[in-house]
Amino acid sequence: MIPDIISAIRAAEQTALDDISGATTLDDVVALRTRLSGKKGELAGLKKRLGSIESIDDKKAAGQAVNEAMAAVDTALDARRAELHAHALAERVEAERIDLTEYVRPSSRGHAHLVTQAWERLEDVFVGMGFRVAEGPEVETDWHNFEALNMPIGHPARGEWDTLFVDHVPPGGQPGTTVLRTHTSPVQIRTMLDEEPPIYIIAPGRVFRRDTPDATHMPVFHQIEGLVIDRGITMADLAGTIEVFTQAYFGPGFHSRLRPSYFPFTEPSAEFDIQRPNGEWIELGGSGMVHPNVLRAGGLDPEVWSGFAFGFGIDRMAKERHGIEDLREMYADDIRFIEQF
Ligand code: FA5
């Protein structure tokens, strides 16, 4: 009789523990507690049967077994409840989580075009070297664009700048004398006429030529002009300024050189090139000592004042700097291309 009741207690305990570990919700645990620990539970039923055991020792052994079983069931119910509670809490926290990063949209702000970026950086570098920024009109007179720059009507060098004419006749003027400026050099003349030397200016701006677009030419592009007028300015000042600029703009590994060339408004004239750290030379622009005729056109006495000037293409410089194959890509309005810079 006694081994029977003890094995019944063990079996009831095992079934109860299996049921408890199979509970998947807190409600299951509540229902199981009522069923297993309540007065109508199987163990409670077995406990009632202890009264009929005659031997005191047997009764004690069976009583201990049933109490242990009931305690084990209670412990298992508590543990399962705690486990399911923790799980439910974790699920709720996850469900109610507010992911603030979801509300931070990827940046859709625009940025300056790469030519504008180059233009602004050039201004910064030259202003840092003591230059001031000057401006001139995009629609120019023939006189400022050519004649005052030592290119009188019929001068062969005019042909080098394929000019776009504006259908506008100034009061008292001649037809065909209003042009879209072909370079920023007319700002030299306007500055000399407006200001007393010493002059240390740069003039970035848009220029126009009747060029067919290709990988290195655009009909509308940008140049930056430099002009220095002071007493005793020499070619060495020009070379030094170009070298300091090259290192400040491109980096300490870069160098510059001047190569003999020809421009009607400078004498002597030089192309200036920059050298990449890998030794490769890139042509950047033109330069030279301001021609005496140009100083005179600007109202200055060449016996007193001397100076140098330079001018180069901003678009081509941005192209070189970023390794862009074709200038036309910079103006194709393809956002996927522009976004990269
Ligand atoms: C001039 O325009 C001279 N005014 C430069 C100068 C200034 C010389 C002061 C001496 C003293 P040039 O025509 O070479 O020079 O043009 C200068 C630069 O403009 C070129 O080196 C090139 O970088 C750029 N450039 C010329 N044509 C185009 C074009 N169609 N598209 C883009 N860039 C151009």
Side-chain angles (χ1 to χ4, degrees):
M1 155 89 179
I2 187 73
D4 287 356
I5 196 159
I6 292 218
S7 57
I9 290 167
R10 297 269 146 77
E13 178 187 347
Q14 194 51 55
T15 313
L17 293 179
D18 289 347
D19 287 353
I20 291 165
S21 60
T24 52
T25 65
L26 285 168
D27 286 346
D28 286 353
V29 176
V30 171
L32 280 172
R33 194 182 292 280
T34 311
R35 178 158 71 79
L36 302 174
S37 314
K39 285 185 183 140
K40 290 181 186 160
E42 202 178 350
L43 285 169
L46 286 166
K47 198 173 182 178
K48 276 184 206 146
R49 282 171 56 194
L50 298 185
S52 57
I53 300 173
E54 277 163 24
S55 149
I56 300 279
D57 286 347
D58 287 354
K59 195 185 274 188
K60 211 171 150 189
Q64 197 177 341
V66 87
N67 284 343
E68 277 170 11
M70 289 177 102
V73 167
D74 275 345
T75 306
L77 282 167
D78 287 349
R80 189 68 186 142
R81 189 179 147 275
E83 225 172 77
L84 290 171
H85 184 72
H87 185 72
L89 192 70
E91 264 187 354
R92 196 170 137 202
V93 166
E94 178 62 26
E96 293 179 3
R97 185 165 66 102
I98 300 174
D99 182 357
L100 293 175
T101 60
E102 285 173 7
Y103 294 90
V104 181
R105 297 235 174 93
S107 166
S108 56
R109 280 180 63 190
H111 63 72
H113 188 272
L114 74 168
V115 169
T116 312
Q117 291 176 30
W119 175 327
E120 287 172 353
R121 256 200 89 221
L122 286 165
E123 283 189 359
D124 285 350
V125 168
F126 280 115
V127 166
M129 289 166 67
F131 285 75
R132 203 171 49 73
V133 180
E135 279 182 5
E138 291 177 353
V139 179
E140 260 300 5
T141 66
D142 177 274
W143 187 81
H144 288 91
N145 196 79
F146 292 117
E147 204 157 333
L149 288 165
N150 204 27
M151 286 179 278
I153 291 167
H155 192 289
R158 284 190 178 215
E160 275 179 38
W161 287 281
D162 273 321
T163 312
L164 290 155
F165 290 87
V166 176
D167 203 4
H168 165 78
V169 184
Q174 297 291 316
T177 57
T178 306
V179 302
L180 293 182
R181 66 177 177 189
T182 57
H183 51 176
T184 43
S185 299
V187 185
Q188 292 185 32
I189 303 299
R190 291 187 174 274
T191 309
M192 285 187 246
L193 289 173
D194 279 357
E195 296 174 20
E196 292 294 316
I199 293 168
Y200 290 79
I201 59 118
I202 50 152
R206 198 150 50 153
V207 300
F208 309 83
R209 288 185 195 177
R210 234 174 49 207
D211 279 338
T212 307
D214 66 21
T216 53
H217 294 83
M218 290 298 287
V220 180
F221 61 101
H222 304 80
Q223 286 187 342
I224 183 164
E225 193 81 8
L227 175 69
V228 166
I229 306 281
D230 209 334
R231 291 173 206 270
I233 296 291
T234 71
M235 198 83 179
D237 297 309
L238 166 63
T241 303
I242 297 289
E243 179 67 13
V244 169
F245 157 74
T246 300
Q247 298 199 9
Y249 187 84
F250 292 96
F254 283 75
H255 291 288
S256 62
R257 76 174 173 199
L258 299 181
R259 251 182 319 113
S261 183
Y262 172 76
F263 294 98
F265 32 91
T266 45
E267 179 58 37
S269 302
E271 296 278 346
F272 69 90
D273 307 331
I274 57 159
Q275 189 181 34
R276 290 204 166 115
N278 68 6
E280 192 189 341
W281 287 98
I282 306 160
E283 211 178 288
L284 214 59
S287 65
M289 301 306 291
V290 180
H291 195 287
N293 288 349
V294 175
L295 290 169
R296 279 188 210 103
L300 301 176
D301 181 353
E303 298 299 325
V304 179
W305 302 106
S306 59
F308 65 76
F310 57 84
F312 54 90
I314 300 178
D315 312 64
R316 281 207 200 151
M317 206 175 63
K319 174 182 177 293
E320 287 300 332
R321 198 180 152 88
H322 296 288
I324 295 163
E325 296 271 304
D326 193 317
L327 268 190
R328 288 168 294 189
E329 284 188 286
M330 306 202 313
Y331 297 101
D333 283 349
D334 184 339
I335 195 78
R336 292 164 303 179
F337 175 79
I338 295 297
E339 263 174 357
Q340 300 174 73
F341 305 98

